[in-house]
Amino acid sequence: MVALSAALDVLWHEYFGRDSVLWSPPHLLGIIGSVVVVVGVTMSGDRGRPLRSADVALGAVLLGTAMLPVMEYDSRVPQFSEVLYLPVALAAALFAAWVITVALSGARVMTVIVGGVVALRAAVWGVLTLWGWPAVDVPVALLGLAVLDLPRARKVDRFALAAIAMSSIQLVASAVGLSSVQAETVLPAAIIVIAIAGGVMLISRGRQVVVATLATLALAATLVSVDPLPASAHDPGQGTEQGEVAMTVERVGSTVSITVEVVSSSTPLRFERIVARRAGQIIQATLEQGDTSGLVVRGTLELTEGDLWFIYAEFSSSMGALESWIIVEPNDSRTEVRPLYEPPVSPVNDLEFIGASAALYGLAASLIWVAILTVREPRRMRSTRSSAE
């Protein structure tokens, strides 16, 4: 299935154009296919087997692979609204933890595996920082999965508490700067998750009235705090190159100064605008000086939030729209000569694109269902175990 997704990805780009979005149908199918393969390997041994060194490595690979869908967020280049980060991360982490707890047994199974994953990501962060490259976030919220090792707690309680712990840790990490995902975007999802998890624990004890109250409070808080703007990817990909543009950015505090100079172009240009894009947000620059023929343009931006942003210079020409981009980090200064290219036309309203997307997402969903069936204990095994007890 992983090899099939690679072939489908090539066909996808040839037919619908290039994209740079991790959640595009062929990319997500490849990720889910990889997760299913690791689930199959994990479940190939005896259920509930004692934790061994090989199992620690296998569990770490499973958890790390399951977290790939949020890698763009952890890499500080989110393509979609950051509101989606916590729900997706929770779903992926809890699914991987469920597989691990079914396959392996021991007093500190999740603590050991989560510790290994977090330590590895911390090492990657250290190496990238040392070399001066853009670093990735350390997923400290995964430490909440250690709650699953609590003794004498019911399984439903342990998973509910793990969801609460992960949400709380992520909220704190975002607030203090350990995560590049903004705290205000994590808060709505964290409120919902904590309310639902608490509700699950109370329902299991027959306290439906308290659950209804929590659900009402969570809904009210979410309606107040959630951002109504739709998400959109900041980078649909790059089309045919038509020249080069020299871009200089300097970010001091919240202010970004930008200089754009056309180095070469295969067609006459007219400058349109400079914008910053991140996680579905678009902020337009104020121009200081320049000429609309697109030779040299200067402007400033105010970026009051967010970590790494993409700065785009947009032009019009007889060939259509052209653009170029450069990244800017906090307190960053850089000059680069960037390609001037045709942005691909988004096919999101094309019926063939919609049909192909639905088919691949449906295939990915069926793979997830196959993985769930693989992990679930067969009914006859449950009956035999119950009889033995």
Side-chain angles (χ1 to χ4, degrees):
M1 182 53 67
V2 177
L4 175 62
S5 69
L8 288 173
D9 188 47
V10 174
L11 293 175
W12 185 274
H13 295 326
E14 289 183 357
Y15 197 75
F16 294 115
R18 179 179 173 182
D19 66 67
S20 302
V21 182
L22 192 59
W23 289 1
S24 72
H27 296 166
L28 198 58
L29 178 62
I31 291 173
I32 292 176
S34 300
V35 173
V36 172
V37 168
V38 182
V39 168
V41 175
T42 304
M43 298 305 300
S44 62
D46 295 333
R47 293 170 180 265
R49 61 186 181 273
L51 185 65
R52 299 169 298 183
S53 298
D55 291 320
V56 172
L58 187 58
V61 170
L62 174 58
L63 183 56
T65 305
M67 297 303 292
L68 285 177
V70 295
M71 197 61 204
E72 286 179 336
Y73 293 92
D74 288 342
S75 299
R76 302 157 59 210
V77 288
Q79 298 268 24
F80 298 95
S81 171
E82 292 182 331
V83 173
L84 300 173
Y85 175 77
L86 182 60
V88 176
L90 270 175
L94 292 177
F95 173 78
W98 173 55
V99 177
I100 291 169
T101 55
V102 170
L104 307 173
S105 64
R108 296 288 181 268
V109 171
M110 287 309 305
T111 301
V112 171
I113 291 175
V114 169
V117 172
V118 173
L120 177 61
R121 288 285 292 272
V124 171
W125 175 88
V127 170
L128 293 176
T129 301
L130 182 64
W131 288 349
W133 292 354
V136 296
D137 289 347
V138 179
V140 292
L142 290 179
L143 296 173
L145 294 177
V147 172
L148 294 171
D149 289 331
L150 287 174
R152 294 187 297 278
R154 297 185 308 168
K155 189 171 185 179
V156 64
D157 290 343
R158 284 188 280 118
F159 273 87
L161 288 171
I164 293 173
M166 281 192 64
S167 300
S168 302
I169 294 173
Q170 180 59 49
L171 192 56
V172 172
S174 295
V176 302
L178 291 178
S179 172
S180 61
V181 181
Q182 299 299 297
E184 56 267 29
T185 62
V186 174
L187 182 59
I191 292 172
I192 296 174
V193 169
I194 292 172
I196 291 176
V200 168
M201 296 173 66
L202 291 172
I203 284 177
S204 66
R205 290 168 171 78
R207 299 184 180 179
Q208 286 84 354
V209 175
V210 178
V211 172
T213 303
L214 286 174
T216 302
L217 292 174
L219 178 60
T222 303
L223 291 175
V224 171
S225 57
V226 74
D227 185 353
L229 296 177
S232 60
H234 69 71
D235 183 12
Q238 294 182 193
T240 304
E241 295 185 9
Q242 299 295 344
E244 291 183 325
V245 175
M247 300 185 69
T248 299
V249 291
E250 183 178 6
R251 184 175 179 182
V252 179
S254 62
T255 303
V256 182
S257 301
I258 311 109
T259 301
V260 176
E261 181 176 1
V262 176
V263 176
S264 64
S265 175
S266 62
T267 182
L269 298 174
R270 178 181 177 84
F271 171 78
E272 292 295 336
R273 62 176 185 169
I274 297 173
V275 296
R277 301 178 187 170
R278 172 185 167 86
Q281 300 178 73
I282 299 178
I283 301 176
Q284 187 165 338
T286 300
L287 299 183
E288 294 180 349
Q289 59 181 345
D291 57 56
T292 55
S293 64
L295 297 179
V296 180
V297 180
R298 295 180 176 87
T300 57
L301 280 162
E302 291 296 324
L303 303 179
T304 57
E305 61 181 29
D307 182 43
L308 185 150
W309 285 78
F310 287 73
I311 309 299
Y312 281 76
E314 299 179 351
F315 303 85
S316 58
S317 72
S318 60
M319 303 178 63
L322 299 174
E323 66 182 22
S324 187
W325 61 268
I326 189 172
I327 64 171
V328 62
E329 300 184 77
N331 300 314
D332 182 23
S333 177
R334 66 182 69 200
T335 298
E336 298 178 11
V337 176
R338 306 290 302 169
L340 177 68
Y341 61 88
E342 302 174 28
V345 177
S346 174
V348 293
N349 295 320
D350 184 271
L351 291 179
E352 291 182 349
F353 176 84
I354 294 173
S357 298
L360 292 188
Y361 283 137
L363 181 57
S366 66
L367 289 178
I368 294 175
W369 183 243
V370 168
I372 291 173
L373 293 179
T374 301
V375 179
R376 284 185 63 189
E377 189 177 31
R379 183 173 300 177
R380 63 177 180 275
M381 290 181 62
R382 291 198 299 268
S383 301
T384 301
R385 179 165 53 82
S386 299
S387 300
E389 293 176 351

